[in-house]
Amino acid sequence: MAEQKLGTISMDRMRAAFEVNALGPLRIQKTLLDANLMKTSDSKEGASPMIGKVAIISTGLSSIDDNTSGGNYAYRTSKAAVNMIAKSMSCDLKEDGISVRSIAPGFVATEFGPGKETMKGWGAMPVEASCEGIISLLDSMTMDNTGEFHCVKKDGPTVIMAW
């Protein structure tokens, strides 16, 4: 990621990351809202009220509080921006009964970056473990915890992340 260091980062690289990581999720939610597809359905009498859920995939690298290593300018800042989008959406959609959460999948062994085997060697968790954590976070979304930022951990429960 040499192109994301302070001395080498370009504005084109920054814009490209924002297009994908921040504006992409915003475009999708705006399209769903404009098409009236963000409404919760009425629940049956006596049943718990249904809530809508919006989960936005973030990263632990987007945490300003947890940034102790610098670098990764385009990725970090574009994901921090999507966290702000998620937080703002949680305020804007709360009245409509839609819970919004940013979710960092954790350090996952994938083919992204240096490759699955290398990442396993660095302690990354299997994809299945991350998916289980994400599903657990989706299941636990309520209107009381809308607007939170959570991270899936390899060895333990998910944690609320500092912005």
mmCIF file of all heavy atoms in Angstrom, residues 107-125 154:
data_model
loop_
_atom_site.group_PDB
_atom_site.id
_atom_site.type_symbol
_atom_site.label_atom_id
_atom_site.label_comp_id
_atom_site.label_asym_id
_atom_site.label_seq_id
_atom_site.Cartn_x
_atom_site.Cartn_y
_atom_site.Cartn_z
ATOM 1 N N PHE A 107 -10.239 -8.743 11.398
ATOM 2 C CA PHE A 107 -9.094 -9.116 10.567
ATOM 3 C C PHE A 107 -9.370 -10.504 10.009
ATOM 4 O O PHE A 107 -9.314 -11.501 10.723
ATOM 5 C CB PHE A 107 -7.818 -9.068 11.407
ATOM 6 C CG PHE A 107 -6.559 -9.316 10.635
ATOM 7 C CD1 PHE A 107 -6.366 -8.769 9.376
ATOM 8 C CD2 PHE A 107 -5.555 -10.087 11.173
ATOM 9 C CE1 PHE A 107 -5.201 -8.990 8.662
ATOM 10 C CE2 PHE A 107 -4.372 -10.313 10.474
ATOM 11 C CZ PHE A 107 -4.191 -9.766 9.219
ATOM 12 N N VAL A 108 -9.703 -10.564 8.717
ATOM 13 C CA VAL A 108 -10.208 -11.778 8.083
ATOM 14 C C VAL A 108 -9.230 -12.277 7.019
ATOM 15 O O VAL A 108 -8.728 -11.490 6.214
ATOM 16 C CB VAL A 108 -11.590 -11.517 7.434
ATOM 17 C CG1 VAL A 108 -12.167 -12.802 6.872
ATOM 18 C CG2 VAL A 108 -12.551 -10.892 8.437
ATOM 19 N N ALA A 109 -8.995 -13.579 7.014
ATOM 20 C CA ALA A 109 -8.111 -14.201 6.023
ATOM 21 C C ALA A 109 -8.857 -14.339 4.696
ATOM 22 O O ALA A 109 -9.721 -15.194 4.542
ATOM 23 C CB ALA A 109 -7.641 -15.566 6.519
ATOM 24 N N THR A 110 -8.560 -13.454 3.764
ATOM 25 C CA THR A 110 -9.176 -13.471 2.437
ATOM 26 C C THR A 110 -8.082 -13.338 1.385
ATOM 27 O O THR A 110 -6.907 -13.170 1.715
ATOM 28 C CB THR A 110 -10.166 -12.302 2.262
ATOM 29 O OG1 THR A 110 -9.428 -11.079 2.268
ATOM 30 C CG2 THR A 110 -11.222 -12.280 3.356
ATOM 31 N N GLU A 111 -8.471 -13.357 0.146
ATOM 32 C CA GLU A 111 -7.518 -13.146 -0.951
ATOM 33 C C GLU A 111 -7.237 -11.659 -1.168
ATOM 34 O O GLU A 111 -6.411 -11.303 -1.997
ATOM 35 C CB GLU A 111 -8.030 -13.801 -2.244
ATOM 36 C CG GLU A 111 -8.084 -15.315 -2.178
ATOM 37 C CD GLU A 111 -6.744 -15.971 -1.817
ATOM 38 O OE1 GLU A 111 -5.677 -15.443 -2.178
ATOM 39 O OE2 GLU A 111 -6.783 -17.014 -1.145
ATOM 40 N N PHE A 112 -7.937 -10.789 -0.444
ATOM 41 C CA PHE A 112 -7.694 -9.352 -0.508
ATOM 42 C C PHE A 112 -6.330 -9.066 0.118
ATOM 43 O O PHE A 112 -6.002 -9.594 1.164
ATOM 44 C CB PHE A 112 -8.813 -8.621 0.242
ATOM 45 C CG PHE A 112 -8.692 -7.129 0.238
ATOM 46 C CD1 PHE A 112 -8.909 -6.407 -0.924
ATOM 47 C CD2 PHE A 112 -8.369 -6.439 1.384
ATOM 48 C CE1 PHE A 112 -8.818 -5.026 -0.935
ATOM 49 C CE2 PHE A 112 -8.272 -5.064 1.384
ATOM 50 C CZ PHE A 112 -8.494 -4.355 0.226
ATOM 51 N N GLY A 113 -5.535 -8.248 -0.503
ATOM 52 C CA GLY A 113 -4.225 -7.922 0.051
ATOM 53 C C GLY A 113 -3.202 -8.996 -0.251
ATOM 54 O O GLY A 113 -3.124 -9.502 -1.371
ATOM 55 N N PRO A 114 -2.432 -9.395 0.748
ATOM 56 C CA PRO A 114 -1.338 -10.337 0.499
ATOM 57 C C PRO A 114 -1.769 -11.784 0.296
ATOM 58 O O PRO A 114 -0.953 -12.630 -0.030
ATOM 59 C CB PRO A 114 -0.474 -10.211 1.751
ATOM 60 C CG PRO A 114 -1.429 -9.803 2.815
ATOM 61 C CD PRO A 114 -2.431 -8.922 2.121
ATOM 62 N N GLY A 115 -3.036 -12.091 0.517
ATOM 63 C CA GLY A 115 -3.540 -13.442 0.299
ATOM 64 C C GLY A 115 -3.917 -14.154 1.589
ATOM 65 O O GLY A 115 -3.454 -13.814 2.670
ATOM 66 N N LYS A 116 -4.757 -15.137 1.428
ATOM 67 C CA LYS A 116 -5.358 -15.863 2.541
ATOM 68 C C LYS A 116 -4.317 -16.531 3.455
ATOM 69 O O LYS A 116 -4.376 -16.401 4.674
ATOM 70 C CB LYS A 116 -6.325 -16.908 1.983
ATOM 71 C CG LYS A 116 -7.167 -17.602 2.996
ATOM 72 C CD LYS A 116 -8.036 -18.645 2.298
ATOM 73 C CE LYS A 116 -9.460 -18.514 2.741
ATOM 74 N NZ LYS A 116 -10.352 -19.432 2.042
ATOM 75 N N GLU A 117 -3.394 -17.242 2.877
ATOM 76 C CA GLU A 117 -2.411 -17.976 3.686
ATOM 77 C C GLU A 117 -1.514 -17.027 4.479
ATOM 78 O O GLU A 117 -1.226 -17.268 5.650
ATOM 79 C CB GLU A 117 -1.590 -18.924 2.808
ATOM 80 C CG GLU A 117 -2.396 -20.070 2.238
ATOM 81 C CD GLU A 117 -3.173 -20.858 3.301
ATOM 82 O OE1 GLU A 117 -2.591 -21.215 4.357
ATOM 83 O OE2 GLU A 117 -4.373 -21.117 3.074
ATOM 84 N N THR A 118 -1.070 -15.967 3.833
ATOM 85 C CA THR A 118 -0.243 -14.975 4.529
ATOM 86 C C THR A 118 -1.027 -14.350 5.674
ATOM 87 O O THR A 118 -0.503 -14.208 6.787
ATOM 88 C CB THR A 118 0.234 -13.884 3.547
ATOM 89 O OG1 THR A 118 0.992 -14.506 2.516
ATOM 90 C CG2 THR A 118 1.064 -12.828 4.250
ATOM 91 N N MET A 119 -2.279 -14.005 5.409
ATOM 92 C CA MET A 119 -3.096 -13.368 6.445
ATOM 93 C C MET A 119 -3.372 -14.324 7.605
ATOM 94 O O MET A 119 -3.379 -13.912 8.767
ATOM 95 C CB MET A 119 -4.384 -12.825 5.841
ATOM 96 C CG MET A 119 -4.117 -11.677 4.867
ATOM 97 S SD MET A 119 -5.585 -11.062 4.065
ATOM 98 C CE MET A 119 -6.185 -9.955 5.323
ATOM 99 N N LYS A 120 -3.575 -15.609 7.304
ATOM 100 C CA LYS A 120 -3.723 -16.608 8.377
ATOM 101 C C LYS A 120 -2.479 -16.614 9.260
ATOM 102 O O LYS A 120 -2.574 -16.679 10.476
ATOM 103 C CB LYS A 120 -3.928 -18.007 7.791
ATOM 104 C CG LYS A 120 -5.330 -18.339 7.421
ATOM 105 C CD LYS A 120 -5.381 -19.806 6.979
ATOM 106 C CE LYS A 120 -6.697 -20.151 6.348
ATOM 107 N NZ LYS A 120 -6.703 -21.524 5.803
ATOM 108 N N GLY A 121 -1.332 -16.542 8.630
ATOM 109 C CA GLY A 121 -0.073 -16.514 9.371
ATOM 110 C C GLY A 121 0.062 -15.299 10.263
ATOM 111 O O GLY A 121 0.765 -15.329 11.274
ATOM 112 N N TRP A 122 -0.602 -14.229 9.896
ATOM 113 C CA TRP A 122 -0.589 -13.010 10.706
ATOM 114 C C TRP A 122 -1.664 -13.020 11.787
ATOM 115 O O TRP A 122 -1.827 -12.049 12.521
ATOM 116 C CB TRP A 122 -0.797 -11.784 9.821
ATOM 117 C CG TRP A 122 0.323 -11.495 8.871
ATOM 118 C CD1 TRP A 122 1.596 -11.988 8.895
ATOM 119 C CD2 TRP A 122 0.258 -10.628 7.742
ATOM 120 N NE1 TRP A 122 2.324 -11.474 7.845
ATOM 121 C CE2 TRP A 122 1.529 -10.636 7.119
ATOM 122 C CE3 TRP A 122 -0.744 -9.849 7.183
ATOM 123 C CZ2 TRP A 122 1.816 -9.898 5.989
ATOM 124 C CZ3 TRP A 122 -0.453 -9.105 6.046
ATOM 125 C CH2 TRP A 122 0.809 -9.128 5.466
ATOM 126 N N GLY A 123 -2.454 -14.095 11.851
ATOM 127 C CA GLY A 123 -3.469 -14.208 12.897
ATOM 128 C C GLY A 123 -4.876 -13.847 12.462
ATOM 129 O O GLY A 123 -5.764 -13.700 13.312
ATOM 130 N N ALA A 124 -5.108 -13.721 11.175
ATOM 131 C CA ALA A 124 -6.455 -13.377 10.698
ATOM 132 C C ALA A 124 -7.422 -14.536 10.943
ATOM 133 O O ALA A 124 -7.040 -15.705 10.921
ATOM 134 C CB ALA A 124 -6.414 -13.036 9.212
ATOM 135 N N MET A 125 -8.681 -14.193 11.174
ATOM 136 C CA MET A 125 -9.705 -15.217 11.429
ATOM 137 C C MET A 125 -10.276 -15.746 10.116
ATOM 138 O O MET A 125 -10.221 -15.070 9.090
ATOM 139 C CB MET A 125 -10.830 -14.651 12.302
ATOM 140 C CG MET A 125 -11.800 -13.714 11.591
ATOM 141 S SD MET A 125 -13.118 -13.121 12.659
ATOM 142 C CE MET A 125 -12.493 -11.508 13.087
ATOM 143 N N LYS A 154 -11.764 -12.072 16.666
ATOM 144 C CA LYS A 154 -11.433 -13.470 16.396
ATOM 145 C C LYS A 154 -11.724 -14.360 17.606
ATOM 146 O O LYS A 154 -12.330 -15.412 17.476
ATOM 147 C CB LYS A 154 -9.963 -13.585 16.006
ATOM 148 C CG LYS A 154 -9.512 -15.007 15.733
ATOM 149 C CD LYS A 154 -8.053 -15.044 15.339
ATOM 150 C CE LYS A 154 -7.595 -16.467 15.086
ATOM 151 N NZ LYS A 154 -6.184 -16.513 14.708
#
